[in-house]
Amino acid sequence: MIHNALLQIVLLLMEPNVRVERISTEHGLSQNSIYCILQDFKGFLWVGTENGLNRYDGYRFKSYRHDPQKPASLSNNYVMALCEDHTGALWAGTAGGGLNRFDREREVFRHFRHHPADPFSLSHDVTTALYEDSKGNLWIGTRFGLNRFDPEQQRFIRYMHDDEIPSSLSHNRVFAIAEDHLGTLWVGTADGLNRYEPETGTFKHHAYDSADHSERREVFAICEDREGFLWVGTRHGTVRFDLENERFTRFKHDPADPNSLDDNRVLSLYRDRSEGFWVGTGKGINRFDRDRRHFIHGNNEEGTPWTTDEVITIYEDRTEVLWLGTSTRGLIKINRNTEQFQHYRVEPAGTRSTKHNVVISILEDPEDRLWIGTFGDGLKRFTPGNPTSWVHYKSDPKNPRTLSSDRVWALHRDGNGVLWIGTSQGLDRFEETENAFRNYRNDPNNPKSLSGGQVLVIGEDRENVLWVGTTQGLNRFDRDSGTFVRFQNEPGNEYSLSHNSIEFIHEDATGVFWIGTSGGGLNRFDRTGERFTRYRKDPDQTNSLSHDEILSVYEDKNGFLWIGTSGGGLNQFDPAGETFTHYRKKDGLPDDVVYGVLGDAEGNLWMSTNRGLARLDPKAGSFKTYDIDDGLQDNEFSVGAFFQSPDGQLFFGGINGLNAFYPERMQ
């Protein structure tokens, strides 16, 4: 299942592996119109909406609303601005209820309102902007005037527009307040940009150049970039202000230029910790590429805007996750910390079927092409980094030279470079020069045909003999004759295969052949005498196999076998002593279903489960778990979908595509 049923989207912003999620009222948010976002010193995320203030701990929301029966509740449900001051006090500005200061211990609000008879009260009850400057002054923008809070006197000093005073505030409607790297305070109003002169308490007006003097000159947002330019969001695009030369550069939407802004109404601006510069408009999110001097838009997989909604506010939390507040779609969470796990989706553009993205087999060839077997959409091939390289192979019942089935369970490249494919309808050999397949199927009337229709695993021994595991036994394949020798369970014969459903085939460093089955445990195969030795779960033996359903086998450099089971966790098998050591959930494993096991150069083991990826340090006996929030395709992975490339890259597939990563690069 998709984690928290959140909307998974690919954001093409030229950043690797960005994961985008939408969080709305379905997940506990009090309302979907977001005006302000803030993370407090305790790590909580606060979200102001049109229907209350929300505190988010990453899992659930707690909402604070106005209650007429409780005088110390939030003064108004329409929360337009948030600020945390240097003392840790949380302030919330509302649209009609004035300013609120939150008492965290008592969970009550103190209200500051406009009183017509008191010139030191808030100038207006519609609070539109909050900002604490570098000197610790709290500034409050309202629909009618700018205010500075005096904490000692608990009163407000007002700054108002006066037609008779040119150095007064340019307009009483204040939208934005910000400070540059020199400590200069800037105020955006309904009539342009203002620079505050603290020595005189006056303002210098900066009206950006415009050929059309009838344009409304609202300044909705202000932000300084890393180069010291001041950016201003307006109704007619964004304007970059060169403070030193007092020169404005306008950036507008151009329908003929895909690298221009996606919309002229710029509502929010933000510089993140990595110096990325973001622009929120009436149609979505843009990132400014300073080298190319153009904008990159947020897109979905089909290349169209993933949201046409207004981005009212942008905020980055301490983990560098970017949060967007939209006018109707709630919170958009952009997790850019997932680059450790490369995520490949294999769902075709425009397709909504879940089965198309379920990966059940993976292989990388010497040309660095990835071959991906899916649960119902055939075989796919592509070169990472080349979005136009996708090739799709599907079954056509009318054409015997196509894939035998669209359910591809196993992939193997033999010593001669030939690709073999195991499907639900047999074994296929890919003739790459002809771009066609040769099928080997089960024939009930031919004992030398494949023993079963469903091929789950393909292996090759040091003699280059090909072995094929099906749901109806093990097969040794003679490539020259195209015939099979079957090894199956024989009731009453303890030296026969313990179970006919074969999940894994492995030849160890000493040449011993191991067969993992789905229900009959582990088998050691003596190919000379064609006899099997069985290792099964014995409730009376604590050092026996923990579960009889084997999903994977991995051999470490010490000769130990690590066995993933379907319900018994992970087993370490010592072939010399023939004993098993168990690792389960109680030992730190996230889940007792272990689909795939691979090792890295440091001796760590990596396992795919139903609850994420687990890394085991065998020396310390400790586990580290990664889940969907770390960039995984999903918490649920697939049986058979794991592969290690010659350069050490690990691949694990699951229900939402596959992940690739280099273990040594993991932080």
Side-chain angles (χ1 to χ4, degrees):
M1 298 296 292
I2 293 178
H3 180 62
N4 286 338
L6 300 180
L7 181 63
Q8 305 289 325
I9 316 165
V10 174
L11 188 67
L12 303 179
L13 290 172
M14 303 302 287
E15 296 192 15
N17 304 311
V18 173
R19 179 178 296 276
V20 181
E21 302 170 3
R22 176 175 172 245
I23 302 175
S24 67
T25 52
E26 296 177 3
H27 313 107
L29 190 64
S30 65
Q31 206 262 349
N32 284 332
S33 297
I34 311 296
Y35 287 87
C36 47
I37 305 168
L38 179 142
Q39 186 178 33
D40 68 15
F41 72 94
K42 292 187 174 183
F44 291 113
L45 199 73
W46 294 84
V47 183
T49 76
E50 287 186 5
N51 187 30
L53 178 64
N54 298 257
R55 189 186 72 185
Y56 185 48
D57 64 6
Y59 299 95
R60 60 188 64 85
F61 288 92
K62 180 174 183 178
S63 299
Y64 298 86
R65 292 185 175 90
H66 173 65
D67 185 343
Q69 305 301 318
K70 296 180 180 180
S73 66
L74 189 67
S75 64
N76 185 282
N77 283 333
Y78 201 131
V79 180
M80 301 189 71
L82 289 168
C83 180
E84 185 177 51
D85 67 24
H86 63 282
T87 69
L90 183 70
W91 298 82
T94 68
L99 184 63
N100 293 249
R101 184 169 64 197
F102 182 55
D103 184 330
R104 287 183 174 85
E105 292 185 3
R106 299 167 54 212
E107 292 206 327
V108 296
F109 295 85
R110 181 183 175 186
H111 308 154
F112 298 86
R113 296 177 178 269
H114 170 67
H115 299 289
D118 184 0
F120 295 107
S121 68
L122 194 65
S123 63
H124 198 275
D125 278 340
V126 175
T127 305
T128 52
L130 292 173
Y131 185 82
E132 185 183 49
D133 66 23
S134 56
K135 299 179 180 64
N137 296 309
L138 182 66
W139 295 86
I140 305 97
T142 75
R143 184 172 287 180
F144 193 73
L146 176 69
N147 300 252
R148 177 167 58 84
F149 181 59
D150 180 346
E152 293 184 4
Q153 301 293 326
Q154 294 286 294
R155 63 182 190 176
F156 297 87
I157 294 90
R158 301 177 182 176
Y159 299 85
M160 310 293 291
H161 170 70
D162 189 332
D163 289 334
E164 304 298 325
I165 304 176
S167 61
S168 68
L169 194 65
S170 64
H171 196 283
N172 277 329
R173 190 164 189 173
V174 176
F175 293 113
I177 309 169
E179 193 175 26
D180 64 26
H181 70 283
L182 298 175
T184 303
L185 193 75
W186 297 86
V187 183
T189 73
D191 189 25
L193 181 66
N194 296 251
R195 185 177 69 193
Y196 177 59
E197 308 286 354
E199 295 82 6
T200 59
T202 59
F203 297 87
K204 181 178 179 180
H205 306 161
H206 297 270
Y208 55 83
D209 297 333
S210 173
D212 184 1
H213 296 290
S214 66
E215 284 187 358
R216 295 168 63 181
R217 298 191 299 183
E218 299 104 323
V219 172
F220 297 126
I222 306 168
C223 185
E224 185 182 33
D225 68 16
R226 73 172 188 179
E227 296 168 318
F229 293 115
L230 199 70
W231 291 71
V232 177
T234 78
R235 188 180 295 273
H236 310 283
T238 185
V239 180
R240 190 178 67 183
F241 183 29
D242 184 338
L243 301 177
E244 185 176 348
N245 300 311
E246 295 199 358
R247 182 179 301 163
F248 290 92
T249 303
R250 178 89 69 94
F251 296 89
K252 297 187 71 174
H253 170 64
D254 180 354
D257 182 3
N259 295 318
S260 68
L261 272 178
D262 64 357
D263 187 61
N264 277 331
R265 196 154 53 98
V266 175
L267 305 175
S268 51
L269 299 165
Y270 196 85
R271 182 179 77 181
D272 65 28
R273 289 180 180 84
S274 60
E275 306 299 341
F277 198 79
W278 302 82
V279 182
T281 71
K283 288 188 176 179
I285 187 71
N286 303 249
R287 186 168 67 84
F288 182 65
D289 186 326
R290 63 175 60 86
D291 296 325
R292 297 179 178 87
R293 289 173 59 84
H294 68 215
F295 295 89
I296 301 163
H297 309 155
N299 294 330
N300 68 8
E301 293 176 58
E302 289 77 36
T304 55
W306 56 263
T307 175
T308 56
D309 204 9
E310 297 174 331
V311 175
I312 299 174
T313 185
I314 308 170
Y315 187 83
E316 183 185 34
D317 68 23
R318 290 198 286 271
T319 64
E320 299 184 5
V321 170
L322 205 67
W323 299 84
L324 310 182
T326 69
S327 61
T328 63
R329 290 174 56 80
L331 281 172
I332 303 295
K333 176 184 177 183
I334 304 176
N335 188 351
R336 297 167 295 155
N337 297 326
T338 62
E339 65 275 4
Q340 298 176 110
F341 293 102
Q342 184 76 37
H343 179 199
Y344 298 107
R345 290 175 58 89
V346 295
E347 178 182 337
T351 303
R352 297 301 176 199
S353 176
T354 306
K355 72 174 183 179
H356 291 146
N357 225 15
V358 178
V359 174
I360 55 177
S361 54
I362 306 167
L363 179 74
E364 184 186 54
D365 67 20
E367 287 78 39
D368 296 326
R369 299 176 301 182
L370 278 181
W371 297 80
I372 302 169
T374 72
F375 188 69
D377 198 39
L379 177 65
K380 299 167 190 280
R381 187 194 76 199
F382 81 106
T383 302
N386 184 356
T388 64
S389 66
W390 285 89
V391 179
H392 193 185
Y393 302 93
K394 294 200 71 173
S395 172
D396 181 355
K398 298 178 181 179
N399 185 354
R401 298 286 279 159
T402 62
L403 200 65
S404 59
S405 169
D406 285 335
R407 188 165 297 179
V408 179
W409 289 108
L411 295 167
H412 177 77
R413 189 175 184 272
D414 69 18
N416 298 318
V418 176
L419 179 67
W420 298 87
I421 303 102
T423 78
S424 290
Q425 295 295 326
L427 176 70
D428 293 353
R429 171 180 170 141
F430 181 53
E431 309 287 355
E432 189 160 6
T433 56
E434 303 173 25
N435 201 37
F437 297 84
R438 181 178 178 182
N439 310 138
Y440 299 87
R441 299 174 184 260
N442 170 255
D443 181 352
N445 299 316
N446 183 3
K448 292 186 178 182
S449 69
L450 191 66
S451 64
Q454 189 159 292
V455 175
L456 301 180
V457 61
I458 307 167
E460 189 175 12
D461 65 22
R462 62 188 61 192
E463 302 297 329
N464 295 325
V465 175
L466 202 68
W467 296 83
V468 183
T470 75
T471 55
Q472 295 299 319
L474 178 68
N475 299 256
R476 185 176 64 212
F477 182 49
D478 186 325
R479 292 177 179 84
D480 295 331
S481 64
T483 61
F484 298 84
V485 176
R486 302 175 179 178
F487 299 89
Q488 295 175 299
N489 176 258
E490 300 171 14
N493 182 359
E494 63 177 317
Y495 297 110
S496 68
L497 187 66
S498 65
H499 195 278
N500 280 334
S501 186
I502 311 300
E503 293 283 356
F504 209 86
I505 301 171
H506 174 73
E507 185 181 35
D508 70 21
T510 65
V512 176
F513 219 51
W514 300 92
I515 311 297
T517 70
S518 180
L522 182 68
N523 293 251
R524 185 178 66 196
F525 183 37
D526 177 359
R527 283 166 287 179
T528 303
E530 296 188 347
R531 289 157 56 104
F532 295 85
T533 302
R534 304 172 180 179
Y535 300 86
R536 304 197 60 171
K537 178 181 178 179
D538 184 345
D540 297 325
Q541 295 291 330
T542 58
N543 60 356
S544 71
L545 186 67
S546 67
H547 200 282
D548 280 338
E549 188 169 350
I550 306 294
L551 301 181
S552 55
V553 177
Y554 172 78
E555 182 183 5
D556 68 20
K557 61 184 179 181
N558 298 314
F560 293 114
L561 296 183
W562 296 86
I563 301 164
T565 73
S566 182
L570 179 70
N571 289 245
Q572 182 194 47
F573 178 56
D574 180 357
E578 296 192 325
T579 57
F580 295 83
T581 303
H582 310 151
Y583 295 86
R584 308 193 66 161
K585 285 180 67 175
K586 63 182 179 62
D587 303 304
L589 192 65
D591 189 70
D592 281 338
V593 175
V594 177
Y595 290 119
V597 185
L598 294 172
D600 64 25
E602 301 297 321
N604 298 309
L605 298 177
W606 294 82
M607 289 148 281
S608 56
T609 76
N610 278 327
R611 294 182 179 271
L613 277 180
R615 183 187 67 194
L616 170 63
D617 179 347
K619 294 179 181 178
S622 60
F623 288 90
K624 163 70 177 175
T625 300
Y626 299 87
D627 62 19
I628 193 170
D629 290 330
D630 296 302
L632 298 185
Q633 51 82 35
D634 195 275
N635 285 336
E636 183 178 338
F637 285 83
S638 301
V639 63
F642 55 99
F643 178 80
Q644 184 169 22
S645 67
D647 67 353
Q649 190 174 22
L650 304 186
F651 298 85
F652 289 95
I655 65 172
N656 190 32
L658 68 115
N659 290 114
F661 64 98
Y662 289 94
E664 66 273 15
R665 299 179 188 176
M666 299 296 292
Q667 297 178 5

